[in-house]
mmCIF file of all heavy atoms in Angstrom:
data_model
loop_
_atom_site.group_PDB
_atom_site.id
_atom_site.type_symbol
_atom_site.label_atom_id
_atom_site.label_comp_id
_atom_site.label_asym_id
_atom_site.label_seq_id
_atom_site.Cartn_x
_atom_site.Cartn_y
_atom_site.Cartn_z
ATOM 1 N N SER K 568 73.363 63.696 43.286
ATOM 2 C CA SER K 568 73.969 63.041 44.432
ATOM 3 C C SER K 568 75.361 62.503 44.088
ATOM 4 O O SER K 568 76.307 62.682 44.852
ATOM 5 C CB SER K 568 73.064 61.912 44.925
ATOM 6 O OG SER K 568 73.648 61.239 45.997
ATOM 7 N N VAL K 569 75.471 61.869 42.933
ATOM 8 C CA VAL K 569 76.782 61.367 42.485
ATOM 9 C C VAL K 569 77.741 62.537 42.265
ATOM 10 O O VAL K 569 78.900 62.497 42.697
ATOM 11 C CB VAL K 569 76.637 60.528 41.200
ATOM 12 C CG1 VAL K 569 77.998 60.206 40.602
ATOM 13 C CG2 VAL K 569 75.864 59.251 41.480
ATOM 14 N N ALA K 570 77.267 63.574 41.590
ATOM 15 C CA ALA K 570 78.115 64.743 41.327
ATOM 16 C C ALA K 570 78.617 65.355 42.633
ATOM 17 O O ALA K 570 79.800 65.719 42.736
ATOM 18 C CB ALA K 570 77.344 65.781 40.518
ATOM 19 N N ASP K 571 77.757 65.455 43.618
ATOM 20 C CA ASP K 571 78.168 65.991 44.921
ATOM 21 C C ASP K 571 79.293 65.153 45.534
ATOM 22 O O ASP K 571 80.262 65.693 46.071
ATOM 23 C CB ASP K 571 76.991 66.039 45.893
ATOM 24 C CG ASP K 571 75.962 67.102 45.539
ATOM 25 O OD1 ASP K 571 76.255 67.977 44.695
ATOM 26 O OD2 ASP K 571 74.848 67.044 46.106
ATOM 27 N N ARG K 572 79.159 63.844 45.421
ATOM 28 C CA ARG K 572 80.158 62.955 46.030
ATOM 29 C C ARG K 572 81.510 62.996 45.333
ATOM 30 O O ARG K 572 82.526 62.753 45.972
ATOM 31 C CB ARG K 572 79.637 61.527 46.078
ATOM 32 C CG ARG K 572 78.651 61.341 47.231
ATOM 33 C CD ARG K 572 78.218 59.913 47.355
ATOM 34 N NE ARG K 572 76.901 59.861 46.724
ATOM 35 C CZ ARG K 572 76.400 58.859 46.053
ATOM 36 N NH1 ARG K 572 77.081 57.754 45.902
ATOM 37 N NH2 ARG K 572 75.210 58.926 45.522
ATOM 38 N N ILE K 573 81.522 63.297 44.035
ATOM 39 C CA ILE K 573 82.808 63.328 43.324
ATOM 40 C C ILE K 573 83.321 64.750 43.105
ATOM 41 O O ILE K 573 84.332 64.954 42.444
ATOM 42 C CB ILE K 573 82.736 62.573 41.977
ATOM 43 C CG1 ILE K 573 81.783 63.251 40.996
ATOM 44 C CG2 ILE K 573 82.360 61.111 42.196
ATOM 45 C CD1 ILE K 573 81.817 62.659 39.591
ATOM 46 N N GLY K 574 82.613 65.730 43.661
ATOM 47 C CA GLY K 574 83.067 67.117 43.575
ATOM 48 C C GLY K 574 82.803 67.788 42.237
ATOM 49 O O GLY K 574 83.539 68.689 41.846
ATOM 50 N N SER K 575 81.758 67.355 41.542
ATOM 51 C CA SER K 575 81.388 67.949 40.255
ATOM 52 C C SER K 575 80.106 68.756 40.398
ATOM 53 O O SER K 575 79.347 68.566 41.338
ATOM 54 C CB SER K 575 81.152 66.851 39.209
ATOM 55 O OG SER K 575 82.319 66.132 38.957
ATOM 56 N N ARG K 576 79.892 69.644 39.443
ATOM 57 C CA ARG K 576 78.652 70.411 39.394
ATOM 58 C C ARG K 576 77.946 70.105 38.085
ATOM 59 O O ARG K 576 78.583 69.818 37.078
ATOM 60 C CB ARG K 576 78.943 71.901 39.530
ATOM 61 C CG ARG K 576 79.495 72.215 40.931
ATOM 62 C CD ARG K 576 79.847 73.642 41.078
ATOM 63 N NE ARG K 576 81.111 73.871 40.355
ATOM 64 C CZ ARG K 576 81.694 75.054 40.249
ATOM 65 N NH1 ARG K 576 81.147 76.101 40.789
ATOM 66 N NH2 ARG K 576 82.814 75.176 39.593
ATOM 67 N N ILE K 577 76.630 70.193 38.082
ATOM 68 C CA ILE K 577 75.828 69.826 36.921
ATOM 69 C C ILE K 577 75.395 71.067 36.148
ATOM 70 O O ILE K 577 74.969 72.064 36.744
ATOM 71 C CB ILE K 577 74.595 69.010 37.346
ATOM 72 C CG1 ILE K 577 75.057 67.687 37.962
ATOM 73 C CG2 ILE K 577 73.654 68.769 36.161
ATOM 74 C CD1 ILE K 577 73.930 66.834 38.491
ATOM 75 N N ILE K 578 75.484 70.955 34.831
ATOM 76 C CA ILE K 578 74.941 71.961 33.921
ATOM 77 C C ILE K 578 73.784 71.297 33.165
ATOM 78 O O ILE K 578 73.984 70.292 32.487
ATOM 79 C CB ILE K 578 75.992 72.440 32.898
ATOM 80 C CG1 ILE K 578 77.203 73.038 33.602
ATOM 81 C CG2 ILE K 578 75.357 73.457 31.931
ATOM 82 C CD1 ILE K 578 78.366 73.334 32.665
ATOM 83 N N ALA K 579 72.600 71.831 33.296
ATOM 84 C CA ALA K 579 71.432 71.311 32.585
ATOM 85 C C ALA K 579 71.308 72.048 31.257
ATOM 86 O O ALA K 579 71.251 73.277 31.218
ATOM 87 C CB ALA K 579 70.170 71.499 33.409
ATOM 88 N N GLU K 580 71.273 71.292 30.183
ATOM 89 C CA GLU K 580 71.235 71.851 28.841
ATOM 90 C C GLU K 580 69.804 71.851 28.297
ATOM 91 O O GLU K 580 69.034 70.941 28.568
ATOM 92 C CB GLU K 580 72.125 70.977 27.947
ATOM 93 C CG GLU K 580 72.277 71.448 26.541
ATOM 94 C CD GLU K 580 73.178 70.521 25.756
ATOM 95 O OE1 GLU K 580 72.900 69.313 25.696
ATOM 96 O OE2 GLU K 580 74.181 71.011 25.223
ATOM 97 N N GLY K 581 69.463 72.882 27.540
ATOM 98 C CA GLY K 581 68.190 72.905 26.843
ATOM 99 C C GLY K 581 67.010 73.411 27.655
ATOM 100 O O GLY K 581 65.878 72.988 27.421
ATOM 101 N N LEU K 582 67.266 74.318 28.579
ATOM 102 C CA LEU K 582 66.162 74.891 29.356
ATOM 103 C C LEU K 582 65.324 75.805 28.473
ATOM 104 O O LEU K 582 65.831 76.755 27.893
ATOM 105 C CB LEU K 582 66.707 75.706 30.537
ATOM 106 C CG LEU K 582 67.105 74.894 31.751
ATOM 107 C CD1 LEU K 582 68.079 75.654 32.605
ATOM 108 C CD2 LEU K 582 65.880 74.518 32.514
ATOM 109 N N ASP K 583 64.039 75.494 28.373
ATOM 110 C CA ASP K 583 63.148 76.278 27.537
ATOM 111 C C ASP K 583 62.053 77.002 28.312
ATOM 112 O O ASP K 583 61.507 77.977 27.827
ATOM 113 C CB ASP K 583 62.478 75.389 26.489
ATOM 114 C CG ASP K 583 63.468 74.837 25.472
ATOM 115 O OD1 ASP K 583 64.498 75.494 25.210
ATOM 116 O OD2 ASP K 583 63.214 73.744 24.943
ATOM 117 N N THR K 584 61.709 76.518 29.506
ATOM 118 C CA THR K 584 60.573 77.089 30.240
ATOM 119 C C THR K 584 60.940 77.423 31.681
ATOM 120 O O THR K 584 61.868 76.844 32.252
ATOM 121 C CB THR K 584 59.380 76.111 30.260
ATOM 122 O OG1 THR K 584 59.719 74.985 31.080
ATOM 123 C CG2 THR K 584 58.998 75.660 28.862
ATOM 124 N N LEU K 585 60.179 78.345 32.240
ATOM 125 C CA LEU K 585 60.361 78.684 33.654
ATOM 126 C C LEU K 585 60.066 77.487 34.558
ATOM 127 O O LEU K 585 60.705 77.312 35.590
ATOM 128 C CB LEU K 585 59.467 79.857 34.044
ATOM 129 C CG LEU K 585 59.906 81.233 33.543
ATOM 130 C CD1 LEU K 585 58.843 82.274 33.861
ATOM 131 C CD2 LEU K 585 61.240 81.624 34.152
ATOM 132 N N GLU K 586 59.112 76.656 34.149
ATOM 133 C CA GLU K 586 58.760 75.477 34.950
ATOM 134 C C GLU K 586 59.932 74.499 35.028
ATOM 135 O O GLU K 586 60.207 73.931 36.089
ATOM 136 C CB GLU K 586 57.522 74.787 34.365
ATOM 137 C CG GLU K 586 56.243 75.589 34.485
ATOM 138 C CD GLU K 586 56.083 76.670 33.413
ATOM 139 O OE1 GLU K 586 56.853 76.702 32.438
ATOM 140 O OE2 GLU K 586 55.166 77.500 33.575
ATOM 141 N N GLU K 587 60.631 74.319 33.913
ATOM 142 C CA GLU K 587 61.826 73.465 33.931
ATOM 143 C C GLU K 587 62.880 74.057 34.860
ATOM 144 O O GLU K 587 63.485 73.348 35.670
ATOM 145 C CB GLU K 587 62.403 73.318 32.514
ATOM 146 C CG GLU K 587 61.529 72.523 31.580
ATOM 147 C CD GLU K 587 61.935 72.631 30.124
ATOM 148 O OE1 GLU K 587 62.739 73.521 29.760
ATOM 149 O OE2 GLU K 587 61.434 71.813 29.339
ATOM 150 N N LEU K 588 63.096 75.369 34.765
ATOM 151 C CA LEU K 588 64.069 76.056 35.608
ATOM 152 C C LEU K 588 63.721 75.904 37.085
ATOM 153 O O LEU K 588 64.584 75.584 37.913
ATOM 154 C CB LEU K 588 64.144 77.529 35.226
ATOM 155 C CG LEU K 588 65.077 78.400 36.056
ATOM 156 C CD1 LEU K 588 66.525 77.966 35.897
ATOM 157 C CD2 LEU K 588 64.908 79.861 35.678
ATOM 158 N N GLN K 589 62.467 76.106 37.431
ATOM 159 C CA GLN K 589 62.036 75.991 38.827
ATOM 160 C C GLN K 589 62.238 74.573 39.348
ATOM 161 O O GLN K 589 62.698 74.371 40.483
ATOM 162 C CB GLN K 589 60.573 76.412 38.968
ATOM 163 C CG GLN K 589 60.365 77.889 38.753
ATOM 164 C CD GLN K 589 58.900 78.261 38.620
ATOM 165 O OE1 GLN K 589 58.046 77.429 38.303
ATOM 166 N NE2 GLN K 589 58.607 79.541 38.843
ATOM 167 N N THR K 590 61.893 73.593 38.533
ATOM 168 C CA THR K 590 62.055 72.193 38.949
ATOM 169 C C THR K 590 63.521 71.859 39.163
ATOM 170 O O THR K 590 63.881 71.236 40.165
ATOM 171 C CB THR K 590 61.432 71.247 37.905
ATOM 172 O OG1 THR K 590 60.039 71.555 37.793
ATOM 173 C CG2 THR K 590 61.609 69.796 38.301
ATOM 174 N N LEU K 591 64.383 72.286 38.244
ATOM 175 C CA LEU K 591 65.812 72.022 38.393
ATOM 176 C C LEU K 591 66.368 72.716 39.635
ATOM 177 O O LEU K 591 67.215 72.162 40.332
ATOM 178 C CB LEU K 591 66.570 72.454 37.141
ATOM 179 C CG LEU K 591 66.294 71.573 35.922
ATOM 180 C CD1 LEU K 591 66.818 72.243 34.659
ATOM 181 C CD2 LEU K 591 66.909 70.192 36.090
ATOM 182 N N GLY K 592 65.868 73.906 39.923
ATOM 183 C CA GLY K 592 66.285 74.600 41.135
ATOM 184 C C GLY K 592 65.915 73.824 42.386
ATOM 185 O O GLY K 592 66.707 73.692 43.313
ATOM 186 N N LYS K 593 64.710 73.275 42.403
ATOM 187 C CA LYS K 593 64.275 72.461 43.539
ATOM 188 C C LYS K 593 65.110 71.191 43.680
ATOM 189 O O LYS K 593 65.278 70.663 44.778
ATOM 190 C CB LYS K 593 62.800 72.092 43.394
ATOM 191 C CG LYS K 593 61.864 73.260 43.575
ATOM 192 C CD LYS K 593 60.427 72.859 43.307
ATOM 193 C CE LYS K 593 59.515 74.072 43.329
ATOM 194 N NZ LYS K 593 58.140 73.746 42.924
ATOM 195 N N LEU K 594 65.620 70.690 42.542
ATOM 196 C CA LEU K 594 66.459 69.484 42.568
ATOM 197 C C LEU K 594 67.917 69.797 42.905
ATOM 198 O O LEU K 594 68.725 68.886 43.028
ATOM 199 C CB LEU K 594 66.392 68.774 41.202
ATOM 200 C CG LEU K 594 65.038 68.186 40.826
ATOM 201 C CD1 LEU K 594 65.063 67.690 39.387
ATOM 202 C CD2 LEU K 594 64.658 67.059 41.773
ATOM 203 N N GLY K 595 68.245 71.072 43.032
ATOM 204 C CA GLY K 595 69.601 71.459 43.399
ATOM 205 C C GLY K 595 70.584 71.489 42.241
ATOM 206 O O GLY K 595 71.794 71.405 42.456
ATOM 207 N N ILE K 596 70.079 71.626 41.021
ATOM 208 C CA ILE K 596 70.953 71.718 39.851
ATOM 209 C C ILE K 596 71.364 73.186 39.713
ATOM 210 O O ILE K 596 70.521 74.057 39.492
ATOM 211 C CB ILE K 596 70.228 71.227 38.574
ATOM 212 C CG1 ILE K 596 69.630 69.836 38.780
ATOM 213 C CG2 ILE K 596 71.172 71.286 37.377
ATOM 214 C CD1 ILE K 596 70.621 68.753 39.123
ATOM 215 N N PRO K 597 72.675 73.492 39.833
ATOM 216 C CA PRO K 597 73.095 74.886 39.957
ATOM 217 C C PRO K 597 73.253 75.677 38.662
ATOM 218 O O PRO K 597 73.236 76.899 38.696
ATOM 219 C CB PRO K 597 74.446 74.778 40.660
ATOM 220 C CG PRO K 597 74.985 73.460 40.222
ATOM 221 C CD PRO K 597 73.781 72.571 40.081
ATOM 222 N N PHE K 598 73.409 75.013 37.517
ATOM 223 C CA PHE K 598 73.676 75.725 36.270
ATOM 224 C C PHE K 598 72.779 75.222 35.150
ATOM 225 O O PHE K 598 72.398 74.057 35.133
ATOM 226 C CB PHE K 598 75.139 75.534 35.832
ATOM 227 C CG PHE K 598 76.134 76.042 36.819
ATOM 228 C CD1 PHE K 598 76.785 75.162 37.660
ATOM 229 C CD2 PHE K 598 76.426 77.393 36.912
ATOM 230 C CE1 PHE K 598 77.705 75.613 38.578
ATOM 231 C CE2 PHE K 598 77.345 77.855 37.838
ATOM 232 C CZ PHE K 598 77.983 76.969 38.674
ATOM 233 N N GLY K 599 72.476 76.126 34.209
ATOM 234 C CA GLY K 599 71.678 75.738 33.067
ATOM 235 C C GLY K 599 71.961 76.628 31.880
ATOM 236 O O GLY K 599 72.518 77.711 32.012
ATOM 237 N N GLN K 600 71.572 76.121 30.728
ATOM 238 C CA GLN K 600 71.672 76.905 29.506
ATOM 239 C C GLN K 600 70.500 76.531 28.620
ATOM 240 O O GLN K 600 69.938 75.453 28.758
ATOM 241 C CB GLN K 600 72.991 76.657 28.794
ATOM 242 C CG GLN K 600 73.160 75.243 28.262
ATOM 243 C CD GLN K 600 74.514 75.022 27.626
ATOM 244 O OE1 GLN K 600 75.516 75.128 28.300
ATOM 245 N NE2 GLN K 600 74.512 74.713 26.348
ATOM 246 N N GLY K 601 70.133 77.449 27.738
ATOM 247 C CA GLY K 601 69.033 77.165 26.832
ATOM 248 C C GLY K 601 68.347 78.425 26.353
ATOM 249 O O GLY K 601 68.710 79.544 26.732
ATOM 250 N N TRP K 602 67.325 78.222 25.537
ATOM 251 C CA TRP K 602 66.582 79.327 24.959
ATOM 252 C C TRP K 602 65.935 80.213 26.016
ATOM 253 O O TRP K 602 65.674 81.389 25.765
ATOM 254 C CB TRP K 602 65.512 78.804 24.003
ATOM 255 C CG TRP K 602 66.073 78.311 22.713
ATOM 256 C CD1 TRP K 602 66.279 76.996 22.366
ATOM 257 C CD2 TRP K 602 66.517 79.089 21.611
ATOM 258 N NE1 TRP K 602 66.820 76.926 21.111
ATOM 259 C CE2 TRP K 602 66.978 78.203 20.622
ATOM 260 C CE3 TRP K 602 66.579 80.452 21.367
ATOM 261 C CZ2 TRP K 602 67.487 78.638 19.414
ATOM 262 C CZ3 TRP K 602 67.078 80.878 20.154
ATOM 263 C CH2 TRP K 602 67.523 79.984 19.190
#
């Protein structure tokens, strides 16, 4: 929500599982990196 208001995008670091990826997608986090 803060990132949206200031015009930033979030990168989630350390994604290891599909469940983490799915949850972040539901939360509207657009980018990720990890194993």
Side-chain angles (χ1 to χ4, degrees):
S568 178
V569 170
D571 289 347
R572 282 185 259 146
I573 65 172
S575 296
R576 293 177 285 178
I577 296 177
I578 301 171
E580 184 180 56
L582 279 158
D583 293 331
T584 69
L585 286 173
E586 292 81 11
E587 292 167 346
L588 178 64
Q589 291 169 339
T590 300
L591 290 167
K593 290 175 187 174
L594 294 172
I596 307 300
F598 300 101
Q600 66 183 62
W602 286 102

